Amino acid sequence: VTKPDRKLALTNINIAYAAFLVGTLCGLLQVFIRNDAIQLPAWLDYYQILTAHGVLLALVFTTYFIFGFFYTGMSKTLGSFSDNVRMTSWIGFFVMTLGTIITVIMIVSGEASVLYTFYAPLQANGFFYIGLAFVVVGTWISGFALIGHYVSWKKRHKGSLSPLFAFMTVTTLILWIIACLGVVATVLFQFIPLAFGWVDTINVGLSRTLFWYFGHPLVYFWLLPAYMAWYLIVPKLLGVNVFSDSLARLAFILFLLFSIPVGFHHQAVDPGIDHFWKFLQTVLTFMVIIPSLMTAFSMFAVFEISGREKKGKGLFGWFTKLPWRDVRFLSLFLAMLFFIPGGIGGIINASFQLNEVVHNTLWVVGHFHITVGAPVAMTFYGLTFWLVPYLTGRPFSRLAKKLALIQVITWSLGMFLMSTAQHVLGLLGAPRRTAFTEYGGHEAALTWFDGIFSNHVTMAVGGTILFLSAMLLIVIVVISLVGPKATEEEIVEFPLAESDPSSTPKLLEKWWVWIGIAAFLIIAAYAIPIAELLHHMESGSRGFRTW
Ligand code: HAS
């Protein structure tokens, strides 16, 4: 990867970690407030911190990190960026950063305590939405720059399948661009007119629907780069090839098809949407589980192949031969391990009737901490350990390795404690998104919440360990940014496994076919319910016209 491309990638990663630093601090405050351990000053509000925590970690940290990873991998696998691609990417970066700054100023000044999900009836200062619009447009500009880089590679290699990294990047970007249409629609046509007083009502049901049209694929925008690491980096660390090139590509295509027409599983209890559409989207949600099961299968396959090549004996002997001492691997392995209960929790959430039990409880908070907060985040940490030194030309020093080991273990422990407590508390009825913990002094609440895990203290202990672990990660990043340059032996490589596309069907790279099917599924799942929501607005049905 050339120097200018490295600079682009590294700048994105640096912003990601700046957001991470502040976002995790807000997370620490969060658990203490819930535990009644601190009282906030009058100028600071619980929901302000909750919004900052969600936006900075779930949106800013992830997006910048993902782009940093994409830039590095695309430059490595398809060759250095042309001046045009690089310049467009920088423009995207600046637009995105301008948007982020506006958004953060609004949150910090208490003008946008609307949470990272920001749908109506909550309302923020109009500039919050303008900031968000800039962020999305910035990602689109950068996304199109990367797609342009891919297209020019394809022109130069007519008839060949692109390298797996590039294929996966392009799938993720297409998914992102289509998904953002929902959030752009609600921001431009609903929130900005409302916030600036051009209209005085908002269709709440429509705003929630457009948000979740975007909100669910958003989670796959986080997950797919992690899967890229699982498919492409893990086998290299194990010393084997990608298990199956065609399986990996098919899994990504299935995400493109099924991750968007499923937003109603976040709205299972919303009024104004007919049960039929909710059920249809429940079925489609079960379809989007399949590529994750395929990924799990692939991972077990590479583990076993590599373990057996290293003479692991018996049914599970291969397990002991995995490279446990390599912290880059350990971090990714623990990430996968968290995704087993994370995925099971997702299936429970998606199971229409069971959703009634968990919806709007702390269970959901537990769920997203063991999906995005552990599998995705820990994969990004595992990548950071080599990616930052790779980009800076510095070593992954012995000190950094030791700290990384402690970091990975403490993050797992903290996340285990906190998310288990959240799941259990949620099942006992503790609501999410509430600043209070007393539950109106309800007698049942007082006895429910004094178990080992069904306890806000456990959550706070977990949260504190997580914060300390996050600070350790910042130290590791700083060491890799400012330490001495690597000697010849210390140079860090980009660990990318070989993937053999010789028996992969070319159809998998016919984008218009897949975009067409995705569009069909989206229209089938959304056209009529959205028309109905608009009709409710027209006819002024109660609950839709105002908020
Ligand atoms: Fe979810 C709510 C359903 C996956 C994130 N989810 C959320 C929210 C977030 C989130 C942020 O149906 C809260 C939004 C809010 O603020 O309101 N989720 C699912 C389903 C899946 C799923 C069906 N979610 C994710 C991922 C996320 C994420 C991934 C982030 C990255 N989720 C829901 C539903 C709700 C929801 C409802 C709404 C709840 C409500 O009522 O509000 C599926 O994609 C999960 C499929 C995953 C699997 C696991 C495969 C396992 C793998 C690991 C293999 C392990 C290995 C290790 C190889 C089937 C790939 C080897 C181990 C050895 C022992 C050797």
Side-chain angles (χ1 to χ4, degrees), residues 163-241:
L164 190 52
F165 190 101
F167 177 91
M168 291 174 154
T169 301
V170 170
T171 320
T172 313
L173 290 171
I174 295 176
L175 183 142
W176 174 249
I177 291 165
I178 302 177
C180 284
L181 295 173
V183 75
V184 166
T186 185
V187 163
L188 286 191
F189 302 121
Q190 293 196 286
F191 281 112
I192 290 183
L194 181 77
F196 287 103
W198 306 331
V199 295
D200 42 38
T201 60
I202 186 165
N203 184 331
V204 174
L206 183 63
S207 110
R208 289 173 61 86
T209 300
L210 290 173
F211 179 85
W212 285 121
Y213 164 96
F214 156 81
H216 195 75
L218 166 70
V219 313
Y220 296 114
F221 175 68
W222 303 329
L223 182 70
L224 293 192
Y227 274 9
M228 288 166 71
W230 298 6
Y231 276 110
L232 283 160
I233 313 294
V234 167
K236 181 73 181 179
L237 301 178
L238 296 174
V240 293
N241 292 344

Side-chain angles (χ1 to χ4, degrees), residues 192-417:
I192 290 183
L194 181 77
F196 287 103
W198 306 331
V199 295
D200 42 38
T201 60
I202 186 165
N203 184 331
V204 174
L206 183 63
S207 110
R208 289 173 61 86
T209 300
L210 290 173
F211 179 85
W212 285 121
Y213 164 96
F214 156 81
H216 195 75
L218 166 70
V219 313
Y220 296 114
F221 175 68
W222 303 329
L223 182 70
L224 293 192
Y227 274 9
M228 288 166 71
W230 298 6
Y231 276 110
L232 283 160
I233 313 294
V234 167
K236 181 73 181 179
L237 301 178
L238 296 174
V240 293
N241 292 344
V242 172
F243 170 64
S244 160
D245 185 87
S246 47
L247 181 148
R249 288 183 203 243
L250 179 64
F252 269 59
I253 291 294
L254 292 177
F255 276 115
L256 178 59
L257 300 187
F258 293 109
S259 67
I260 303 171
V262 295
F264 284 164
H265 70 225
H266 292 263
Q267 297 173 263
V269 295
D270 273 26
I273 303 163
D274 192 279
H275 274 60
F276 173 78
W277 302 110
K278 290 180 182 172
F279 184 72
L280 177 74
Q281 296 209 9
T282 298
V283 174
L284 292 172
T285 303
F286 275 80
M287 294 297 292
V288 81
I289 293 166
I290 294 171
S292 281
L293 295 176
M294 288 162 66
T295 306
F297 176 79
S298 276
M299 290 304 111
F300 277 106
V302 286
F303 290 165
E304 186 172 351
I305 292 168
S306 98
R308 293 208 185 281
E309 272 179 13
K310 291 174 193 146
K311 310 266 180 292
K313 297 225 165 55
L315 203 53
F316 296 110
W318 50 269
F319 187 76
T320 55
K321 300 286 176 187
L322 296 175
W324 299 114
R325 283 160 192 266
D326 183 342
V327 71
R328 298 167 304 170
F329 170 76
L330 186 64
S331 189
L332 268 58
F333 179 85
L334 290 169
M336 293 177 200
L337 211 55
F338 268 107
F339 202 38
I340 296 176
I344 294 172
I347 295 171
I348 292 171
N349 297 346
S351 304
F352 215 172
Q353 296 90 336
L354 285 183
N355 185 269
E356 296 271 332
V357 180
V358 296
H359 184 68
N360 268 346
T361 69
L362 262 184
W363 164 285
V364 176
V365 183
H367 165 68
F368 68 65
H369 278 97
I370 53 165
T371 47
V372 64
V376 170
M378 289 187 78
T379 300
F380 290 1
Y381 306 160
L383 292 178
T384 301
F385 298 151
W386 57 264
L387 187 57
V388 177
Y390 174 77
L391 291 170
T392 55
R394 294 186 159 81
F396 182 35
S397 66
R398 280 180 63 186
L399 173 65
K401 272 183 199 152
K402 279 192 185 140
L403 293 179
L405 187 65
I406 304 173
Q407 195 273 322
V408 165
I409 292 170
T410 46
W411 190 270
S412 306
L413 178 68
M415 200 50 93
F416 171 74
L417 291 175

Side-chain angles (χ1 to χ4, degrees), residues 30 63 112 136 159 174 200 381 407 464 469 472:
Q30 212 72 54
T63 309
V136 173
I174 295 176
D200 42 38
Y381 306 160
Q407 195 273 322
T464 310
S469 178
L472 217 50

Side-chain angles (χ1 to χ4, degrees), residues 461-492:
V461 171
T464 310
I465 298 174
L466 283 171
F467 176 71
L468 296 174
S469 178
M471 293 309 102
L472 217 50
L473 184 63
I474 296 288
V475 173
I476 296 165
V477 172
V478 171
I479 292 176
S480 311
L481 284 174
V482 299
K485 287 278 177 193
T487 59
E488 196 77 29
E489 308 85 68
E490 289 174 333
I491 286 179
V492 173

Side-chain angles (χ1 to χ4, degrees), residues 10-176:
L10 196 59
T11 312
N12 276 272
I13 291 175
N14 286 342
I15 303 261
Y17 276 107
F20 181 81
L21 179 65
V22 186
T24 45
L25 179 63
C26 294
L28 181 70
L29 293 176
Q30 212 72 54
V31 283
F32 281 145
I33 300 167
R34 270 188 165 271
N35 189 28
D36 275 345
I38 52 166
Q39 207 75 48
L40 288 179
W43 52 270
L44 200 58
D45 175 46
Y46 172 80
Y47 294 103
Q48 206 173 336
I49 297 177
L50 184 54
T51 309
H53 174 62
V55 169
L56 288 170
L57 290 180
L59 303 179
V60 182
F61 168 65
T62 50
T63 309
Y64 279 95
F65 188 88
I66 289 168
F67 272 98
F69 180 47
F70 283 177
Y71 287 133
T72 317
M74 289 292 266
S75 173
K76 169 140 184 89
T77 54
L78 301 185
S80 177
F81 298 145
S82 66
D83 287 347
N84 271 347
V85 168
R86 201 175 304 115
M87 197 181 66
T88 317
S89 304
W90 276 112
I91 294 174
F93 168 81
F94 284 119
V95 174
M96 202 165 127
T97 307
L98 175 68
T100 306
I101 292 171
I102 299 174
T103 309
V104 170
I105 290 176
M106 286 297 114
I107 298 171
V108 171
S109 57
E111 290 288 311
S113 302
V114 288
L115 313 182
Y116 82 108
T117 42
F118 64 85
Y119 42 66
L122 296 180
Q123 193 197 333
N125 185 306
F127 285 98
F128 173 74
Y129 304 109
I130 291 190
L132 286 178
F134 273 114
V135 172
V136 173
V137 172
T139 62
W140 279 2
I141 297 174
S142 303
F144 277 115
L146 283 169
I147 292 175
H149 187 54
Y150 161 86
V151 171
S152 70
W153 185 94
K154 282 292 279 182
K155 277 190 188 143
R156 280 180 278 123
H157 300 81
K158 279 216 158 57
S160 326
L161 283 170
S162 60
L164 190 52
F165 190 101
F167 177 91
M168 291 174 154
T169 301
V170 170
T171 320
T172 313
L173 290 171
I174 295 176
L175 183 142
W176 174 249

